[in-house]
């Protein structure tokens, strides 16, 4: 579907982010779309039409995998890595899906709603030895 | 308790273990997949002609002839804590991978714990060189969800302040870019001119950086007495000084030698990498949200969108210099046409009552108490607002669940996205040009890492 938008003149993917709807009381979705825990939001931009389009993809909690957009829009590379790092969405086909903002050995995905604020003791690396 | 000595080898291993970022780092070629490799050399679209087969270039070099080195995270020319890993063949860059996250403070998570009024103090710290524009973007998103209109004077004050901020941000860029190229006098001059603007910010909002001036519903305070004279002095001084910069840098042969034709990017590459702002405009694409998707009252003022031709470092320099002049034009028009009236919305559910009213009116006291303990509730919904920051499109995706705190706040940082163009820009250039290139992309690491 995103590829169809690209052919329709949406040259740029302005933004991609993921939202965790775990504790949200309810959102309006079109008829026939089943609400899932995660949502990946893609903002496409057309320079020629001067229009924006927002694509919201429902991603189930049990299998948080969506297809990567890197082949259509190489600019989503870092944004998909951020969504993976922060919310734990897995983008299939991404060349280098690693953490981008958090340290490599971090556990959990901080922007999930069940990730408690201040509950995790922060120790960024092993305590340094004497020098 | 502690061991008396650690042998030198162990200490090296310990250092690596302490600082390693694992797969986030640039790996040796045999450990890198083809698709990853193609990103690191800056190949863009596999589906059209821009594709470069990563295996077809540099194949004659063996790994032991090239060198992977670190630049950063603490390096004076990386504008913060950007860490670049470069694969070098002698003096030339073969591959590059930015490693970021050293300034990550979880501001998007913090935003979920702050009320909508407090949120402005949070977002203003993201892109610390253009605080007003961050706040503006956040406030526009909140106002779109609330469905309130701000008074006309507030709109024009916001516009004038964001243009002043754009000037100050570009001046810092001119200064640091000058210093990266060895022109220490430009460093002093750029910061000297910025000081004028920061002094005006202090007079208006009380703070020099991180103003918390633009808030949902309007701005925090009216413009101070005599603001017109201050603004006129700022405009006249900086306008005159930009011509001094022309003499100092634009026509100077050494400067041109370093900038002209270095690190070019084409429009197709820039668009597919989602690059915005001066980097996109340097390729000749006239895309400026102020003109193409006007917000505030930008459709009522006259200004030109500056575009380049070649997409090289010099174009990006020239665009920023001329955007300072365009901003001066807009500020002058704002000062001339500033309407009178309220500087913030009079909706008591959003705007705190004036201090003096609290003592006399019970209702004002209640509103004040409600606003500062609980905050105002925002209807359920989701919205994306975007404005043009000095670095490109800054977007704010805001999801509300009907409570007094944002459910999710996502900020699309232009520097974060523009950083992806760095491998492409650097490939084949020398290390000294790499430093200029990082500088002309102008990343602000507070916004990259958020």
């Amino acid at each position: 579907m995103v590829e169809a938008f690209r052919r329709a003149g949406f040259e740029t993917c302005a933004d991609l982010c993921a939202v965790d709807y775990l504790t949200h009381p309810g959102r309006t979705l079109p008829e026939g779309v089943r609400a899932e825990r995660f949502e990946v939001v893609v903002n496409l931009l057309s320079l020629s039409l001067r229009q924006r389009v927002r694509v919201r993809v429902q991603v189930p909690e049990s299998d948080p995998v969506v297809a990567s957009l890197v082949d259509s829009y190489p600019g989503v590379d870092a944004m998909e890595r951020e969504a993976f790092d922060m919310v734990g969405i897995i983008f299939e086909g991404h060349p280098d899906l690693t953490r981008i903002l958090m340290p490599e050995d971090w556990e959990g995905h901080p922007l999930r709603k069940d990730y408690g604020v201040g509950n995790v003791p922060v120790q960024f690396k092993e305590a340094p030895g004497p020098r | 308790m502690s061991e008396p000595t650690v042998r030198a080898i162990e200490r090296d291993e310990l250092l690596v273990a302490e600082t390693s970022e694992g797969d986030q780092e640039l790996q040796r070629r045999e450990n890198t997949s083809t698709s990853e490799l193609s990103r690191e050399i800056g190949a863009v679209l596999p589906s059209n002609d821009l594709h470069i087969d990563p295996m077809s270039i540099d194949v004659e070099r063996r790994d032991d002839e090239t060198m992977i080195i670190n630049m950063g995270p603490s390096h004076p020319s990386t504008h913060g804590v950007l860490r670049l890993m470069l694969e070098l063949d002698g003096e030339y860059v073969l591959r590059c991978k930015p490693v970021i996250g050293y300034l990550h403070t979880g501001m998007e998570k913090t935003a979920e714990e702050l009320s909508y009024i407090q949120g402005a103090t949070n977002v203003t710290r993201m892109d610390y060189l253009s605080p007003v524009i961050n706040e503006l973007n956040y406030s526009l998103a909140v106002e779109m969800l609330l469905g309130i209109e701000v008074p006309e004077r507030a709109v024009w004050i916001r516009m004038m302040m964001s243009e002043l901020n754009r000037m100050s941000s570009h001046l810092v860029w001119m200064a640091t870019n000058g210093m990266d190229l060895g022109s220490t006098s430009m460093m002093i001059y750029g910061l000297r001119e910025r000081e004028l603007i920061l002094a005006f910010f202090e007079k208006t909002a009380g703070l020099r950086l991180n103003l918390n001036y633009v808030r949902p519903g309007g701005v925090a305070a009216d413009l101070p007495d005599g603001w017109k004279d201050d603004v006129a002095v700022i405009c006249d001084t900086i306008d005159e000084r930009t011509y001094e910069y022309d003499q100092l840098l634009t026509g100077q042969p050494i400067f041109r030698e370093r900038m002209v034709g270095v690190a070019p990017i084409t429009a197709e590459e820039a668009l597919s990498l989602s690059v915005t702002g001066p980097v996109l405009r340097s390729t000749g694409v006239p895309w400026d949200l102020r003109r193409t998707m006007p917000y505030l009252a930008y459709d009522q003022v006259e200004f030109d969108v500056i575009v380049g031709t070649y997409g090289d470092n010099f174009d990006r320099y020239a665009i920023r210099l001329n955007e300072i002049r365009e901003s001066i034009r807009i500020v002058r028009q704002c000062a001339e046409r500033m309407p009178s009236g309220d500087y913030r919305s009079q909706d008591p559910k959003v705007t705190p009552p004036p201090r003096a009213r609290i003592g006399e009116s019970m209702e004002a006291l209640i509103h004040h108490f409600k606003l500062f303990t609980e905050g105002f509730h925002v209807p359920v919904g989701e919205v994306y607002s975007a404005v043009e920051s000095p670095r490109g499109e800054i977007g704010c995706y805001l999801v509300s669940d009907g409570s007094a705190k944002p459910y999710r706040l996502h900020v699309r940082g232009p520097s974060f996205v523009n950083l992806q163009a760095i491998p492409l820009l650097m490939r084949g250039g020398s290390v000294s040009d790499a430093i200029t290139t990082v500088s002309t992309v102008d990343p602000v690491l507070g916004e990259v890492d958020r």
Side-chain angles (χ1 to χ4, degrees):
Chain A
M1 181 173 145
V2 171
E3 185 59 34
F5 273 120
R6 191 168 79 86
R7 279 196 294 273
F10 288 85
E11 302 98 337
T12 303
C13 178
D15 187 24
L16 184 147
C17 70
V19 186
D20 179 2
Y21 277 100
L22 183 65
T23 57
H24 197 277
R27 60 202 137 138
T28 49
L29 286 172
E31 204 66 21
V33 178
R34 204 158 66 92
E36 299 282 0
R37 178 174 167 187
F38 298 116
E39 205 174 273
V40 173
V41 185
V42 184
N43 258 292
L44 301 177
L45 176 67
S46 169
L47 274 64
S48 43
L49 306 171
R50 297 191 179 183
Q51 270 180 0
R52 287 181 193 281
V53 160
R54 198 154 66 232
V55 182
R56 293 163 64 188
V57 184
Q58 302 295 319
V59 185
E61 181 182 1
S62 54
D63 179 31
V65 181
V66 286
S68 170
L69 293 180
V70 169
D71 287 345
S72 316
Y73 297 101
V76 300
D77 179 359
M79 307 176 204
E80 286 185 352
R81 279 179 71 191
E82 189 195 352
F84 163 72
D85 191 359
M86 291 292 138
V87 190
I89 309 288
I90 293 161
F91 292 91
E92 216 162 19
H94 190 281
D96 176 29
L97 199 63
T98 47
R99 288 188 177 275
I100 185 165
L101 297 178
M102 305 301 286
E104 189 62 22
D105 51 1
W106 194 265
E107 278 172 23
H109 301 282
L111 281 182
R112 286 191 176 188
K113 286 289 170 181
D114 51 7
Y115 184 95
V117 177
N119 288 358
V120 180
V122 175
Q123 188 171 24
F124 286 97
K125 295 286 170 190
E126 268 178 52
R131 298 179 187 224
Chain B
M1 184 178 138
S2 62
E3 290 173 37
T5 51
V6 178
R7 278 184 295 132
I9 293 174
E10 281 177 11
R11 192 190 295 164
D12 282 354
E13 283 167 359
L14 200 64
L15 269 178
V16 170
E18 273 175 31
T19 56
S20 169
E21 289 293 341
D23 285 344
Q24 293 183 30
E25 296 183 350
L26 191 70
Q27 307 289 331
R28 301 188 77 83
R29 279 176 191 247
E30 63 263 25
N31 300 334
T32 313
S33 69
T34 316
S35 52
E36 197 183 334
L37 198 63
S38 68
R39 289 312 311 262
E40 287 163 5
I41 61 171
V44 180
L45 264 189
S47 54
N48 62 21
D49 303 341
L50 298 168
H51 181 55
I52 310 157
D53 184 8
M55 292 307 174
S56 70
I57 59 167
D58 311 326
V59 276
E60 72 278 8
R61 292 193 190 82
R62 290 195 307 277
D63 250 5
D64 54 356
E65 290 172 19
T66 63
M67 179 169 58
I68 292 181
I69 63 153
N70 256 318
M71 197 170 105
S74 333
H75 187 282
S77 74
T78 53
H79 295 219
V81 282
L82 174 65
R83 174 179 175 195
L84 292 168
M85 294 195 76
L86 307 169
E87 187 183 36
L88 301 180
D89 177 29
E91 177 74 359
Y92 295 96
V93 180
L94 299 177
R95 287 190 293 156
C96 163
K97 189 174 183 187
V99 182
I100 60 174
Y102 293 94
L103 208 57
H104 178 62
T105 47
M107 292 171 104
E108 287 179 6
K109 188 79 176 171
T110 311
E112 293 170 10
E113 299 296 317
L114 299 175
S115 72
Y116 284 98
I117 297 182
Q118 293 169 322
T121 53
N122 185 35
V123 292
T124 190
R125 279 157 175 78
M126 288 182 179
D127 179 354
Y128 42 76
L129 289 182
S130 54
V132 176
I133 291 164
N134 282 271
E135 294 159 17
L136 171 68
N137 186 28
Y138 169 79
S139 304
L140 286 177
V142 176
E143 281 155 13
M144 273 156 92
L145 276 176
L146 282 170
I148 57 169
E149 289 271 317
V150 293
E152 209 185 346
R153 184 175 171 86
V155 169
W156 284 77
I157 293 179
R158 283 174 171 192
M159 194 157 76
M160 191 179 84
M161 292 296 270
S162 44
E163 287 313 310
L164 285 170
N165 199 172
R166 192 182 313 277
M167 279 151 68
S168 82
S169 171
H170 280 337
L171 284 167
V172 175
W173 178 81
M174 302 272 297
T176 49
N177 181 60
M179 195 173 69
D180 287 340
L181 290 168
S183 167
T184 36
S185 31
M186 189 60 228
M187 177 80 192
I188 308 282
Y189 294 157
L191 292 180
R192 179 185 68 185
E193 266 69 281
R194 176 187 184 233
E195 196 57 35
L196 291 171
I197 297 173
L198 292 190
F200 181 69
F201 281 174
E202 189 178 6
K203 200 171 172 185
T204 311
L207 293 163
R208 289 157 50 85
L209 300 165
N210 306 138
L211 305 180
N212 191 16
Y213 181 67
V214 181
R215 295 177 190 180
V219 294
D222 209 348
L223 294 168
D225 292 343
W227 64 273
K228 273 195 178 174
D229 299 336
D230 295 338
V231 167
V233 168
I234 291 174
C235 289
D236 293 346
T237 319
I238 296 181
D239 196 19
E240 196 189 314
R241 299 257 167 91
T242 55
Y243 294 95
E244 291 177 12
Y245 304 157
D246 266 344
Q247 286 182 350
L248 181 69
L249 296 177
T250 314
Q252 195 214 37
I254 302 172
F255 181 77
R256 292 185 72 98
E257 196 82 353
R258 291 290 305 277
M259 298 289 267
V260 176
V262 173
I265 182 170
T266 65
E268 288 80 17
E269 288 166 338
L271 283 176
S272 55
L273 282 171
S274 307
V275 164
T276 47
V279 186
L280 176 61
R281 286 196 286 279
S282 73
T283 64
V285 181
W287 184 257
D288 186 328
L289 290 177
R290 291 178 291 170
R291 169 62 51 82
T292 51
M293 292 179 166
Y295 51 97
L296 296 182
Y298 279 111
D299 48 353
Q300 296 169 38
V301 289
E302 267 182 36
F303 66 98
D304 292 329
V305 176
I306 313 287
V307 293
T309 317
Y310 305 105
D312 61 354
N313 278 346
F314 187 78
D315 275 357
R316 294 192 274 275
Y317 159 81
I319 283 174
R320 292 203 173 93
L321 178 62
N322 284 297
E323 276 188 3
I324 296 178
R325 293 179 182 144
E326 292 305 317
S327 292
I328 292 172
R329 263 176 81 187
I330 299 177
V331 171
R332 282 187 174 143
Q333 290 173 57
C334 289
E336 204 176 295
R337 295 170 54 184
M338 182 66 70
S340 54
D342 284 326
Y343 60 90
R344 57 183 180 179
S345 150
Q346 285 305 309
D347 184 349
K349 295 272 180 279
V350 178
T351 312
R355 200 78 204 157
R357 293 274 301 147
I358 297 172
E360 7 178 283
S361 156
M362 192 62 202
E363 208 183 7
L365 181 66
I366 292 171
H367 282 311
H368 178 89
F369 183 74
K370 281 286 271 184
L371 273 177
F372 286 103
T373 51
E374 192 184 350
F376 51 82
H377 291 257
V378 170
V380 181
E382 37 108 41
V383 75
Y384 180 83
S385 81
V387 301
E388 185 77 18
S389 98
R391 271 153 281 279
E393 171 184 327
I394 178 162
C396 178
Y397 182 67
L398 189 66
V399 181
S400 166
D401 61 350
S403 72
K405 291 172 181 172
Y407 185 78
R408 170 89 163 91
L409 173 80
H410 170 78
V411 172
R412 179 233 197 249
S415 325
F416 177 71
V417 180
N418 289 358
L419 261 190
Q420 298 181 86
I422 281 186
L424 170 78
L425 293 171
M426 280 190 180
R427 173 164 40 88
S430 68
V431 179
S432 52
D433 287 342
I435 286 167
T436 331
T437 306
V438 175
S439 166
T440 55
V441 172
D442 192 18
V444 169
L445 269 291
E447 181 184 67
V448 172
D449 294 343
R450 295 188 296 281

